[in-house]
Amino acid sequence: MSVLALVGVATFAGSNWKAHPEWGPPPPVAPFGRAPLPNIHHVVGMYFPVLGRPSFSNDYNVSRGRYRHTGIDIRAPKMTPIVAPFAGTIGMKHETFWIYGDDGWSVLGTHLNDDNLGRHDRKGDRDVEFAPDLVPGQRVVAGEFIGYVGMSGNATGPHLHFELYAPGGGTTMKRIRSPLASLKAAIRLRRPVAVLPETDDKPNPGNVRIDACVRGIDEKSKGLYLILVATQHGGEPARVVTQVRYLRLTVPQDVVDSAGGWQALAEQAPTHPITVFVRDIDDLTNESVLRMRLNQPQVASQPAESPLNVFLRGLHSK
């Protein structure tokens, strides 16, 4: 069953939204109606949630007839990468993600891509919508790659609809805020922050380390089919792969045996990356795996904060 399978268990009061255990924490449900939204501005320290050169204008609180627009639309080409604006716990469902920040602020983004590449068919799977290794309920770090801009749902063009909520209890009508000031002050990244399994196992000169999620195996031909998460060339820092890139590698039997065998590969969760090392050449298709490691699941603990995260946390508290 997909991690995004929809199995309803609870309904939010005053709403026809339902909570699903596969979503992680329940989403903030935006107020719906003609009543004006709170016109309160805060500068919440964050990374700008869309990479590249997106554009936006102040369309928060604009009347859309039966309802008010509850966020700001960030316009960008389809498949533009989206990153976590701040650290926290992520929830996700088809088309949508939300993050409950470590300091109480929360965001919700929607209209993620649901099209197969090069089409507008609304038949794409999670590989063209979310980062391959993302699961509901996990902790994300500020700047982590989480998904792709799309035009799913009732959207006339590709964009990320972005909502912001203040800490505290009560209804979302009391906590919703204009994201304008925060987006204007946000730090813009050139590329996502790499989040890889903790290890000192670096690639040797002439090799490349690949962190990827398994999409299929063929024991007869010794084939391993992957979707890339990150790469690291010898002597260079790791870089997140923000394009949907599949790869077939050949795995010698002794390498498979050292990693636990074909059965262990077959049982690998589709969102749990493995690490392989291959020769660093231009075309890796069918390249032979030199080493392979099936990583242990990440422990749900608070990792040490980077100086940038400390800085962002300080901005949050102001």
Side-chain angles (χ1 to χ4, degrees), residues 46-63:
M46 65 172 64
Y47 285 125
F48 199 88
V50 179
L51 299 188
R53 297 182 177 180
S55 62
F56 64 95
S57 57
N58 187 15
D59 51 358
Y60 170 80
N61 207 15
V62 170
S63 175

Side-chain angles (χ1 to χ4, degrees), residues 1-309:
M1 180 180 291
S2 165
V3 294
L4 298 181
L6 303 183
V7 182
V9 295
T11 304
F12 289 94
S15 169
N16 59 3
W17 281 63
K18 291 184 178 180
H20 304 272
E22 290 85 358
W23 292 3
V29 181
F32 183 90
R34 295 187 175 90
L37 304 173
N39 191 26
I40 303 172
H41 294 260
H42 293 273
V43 177
V44 179
M46 65 172 64
Y47 285 125
F48 199 88
V50 179
L51 299 188
R53 297 182 177 180
S55 62
F56 64 95
S57 57
N58 187 15
D59 51 358
Y60 170 80
N61 207 15
V62 170
S63 175
R64 296 285 177 86
R66 295 187 302 118
Y67 65 94
R68 295 274 179 162
H69 193 237
T70 51
I72 283 181
D73 289 342
I74 303 171
R75 298 176 294 276
K78 190 187 292 186
M79 298 303 291
T80 301
I82 300 167
V83 298
F86 45 64
T89 301
I90 193 166
M92 50 194 278
K93 72 178 188 72
H94 182 53
E95 304 178 3
T96 307
F97 74 90
W98 52 94
I99 299 173
Y100 289 96
D102 294 343
D103 59 0
W105 287 89
S106 55
V107 295
L108 180 143
T110 193
H111 298 307
L112 275 68
N113 180 65
D114 65 350
D115 295 323
N116 282 303
L117 299 179
R119 302 181 181 181
H120 183 46
D121 56 8
R122 299 193 173 185
K123 295 180 179 180
D125 61 19
R126 78 174 310 282
D127 284 352
V128 297
E129 187 168 7
F130 294 103
D133 57 340
L134 190 68
V135 293
Q138 81 178 51
R139 188 180 189 278
V140 294
V141 304
E144 182 174 346
F145 170 50
I146 58 177
Y148 296 103
V149 171
M151 52 184 297
S152 57
N154 186 23
T156 56
H159 69 278
L160 176 69
H161 172 87
F162 188 76
E163 299 176 358
L164 178 67
Y165 295 90
T171 66
T172 51
M173 175 58 97
K174 294 181 179 179
R175 295 186 292 110
I176 195 167
R177 299 290 183 265
S178 169
L180 182 65
S182 297
L183 290 175
K184 285 184 174 180
I187 300 170
R188 293 186 181 242
L189 290 171
R190 293 181 59 190
R191 60 179 63 95
V193 174
V195 182
L196 299 176
E198 294 183 8
T199 177
D200 294 327
D201 198 2
K202 307 296 182 184
N204 297 325
N207 293 166
V208 58
R209 167 180 167 165
I210 297 173
D211 287 84
C213 295
V214 176
R215 288 297 177 266
I217 61 172
D218 184 351
E219 185 175 351
K220 183 177 180 180
S221 67
K222 309 263 189 270
L224 175 61
Y225 299 85
L226 303 171
I227 182 170
L228 272 57
V229 173
T231 60
Q232 183 179 14
H233 299 265
E236 298 181 5
R239 289 196 175 188
V240 178
V241 177
T242 56
Q243 296 178 331
V244 179
R245 184 180 176 190
Y246 297 99
L247 183 65
R248 183 196 187 278
L249 299 174
T250 299
V251 191
Q253 188 62 48
D254 61 328
V255 174
V256 173
D257 292 341
S258 68
W262 290 105
Q263 186 63 30
L265 269 175
E267 295 174 351
Q268 191 75 7
T271 54
H272 186 191
I274 68 171
T275 301
V276 299
F277 295 84
V278 299
R279 290 189 306 151
D280 193 354
I281 60 176
D282 290 338
D283 185 5
L284 296 175
T285 304
N286 292 326
E287 181 65 11
S288 182
V289 174
L290 304 172
R291 288 184 290 143
M292 179 168 60
R293 185 179 65 246
L294 307 188
N295 302 301
Q296 295 298 317
Q298 293 290 327
V299 178
S301 61
Q302 298 293 329
E305 286 188 296
S306 69
L308 181 55
N309 279 348

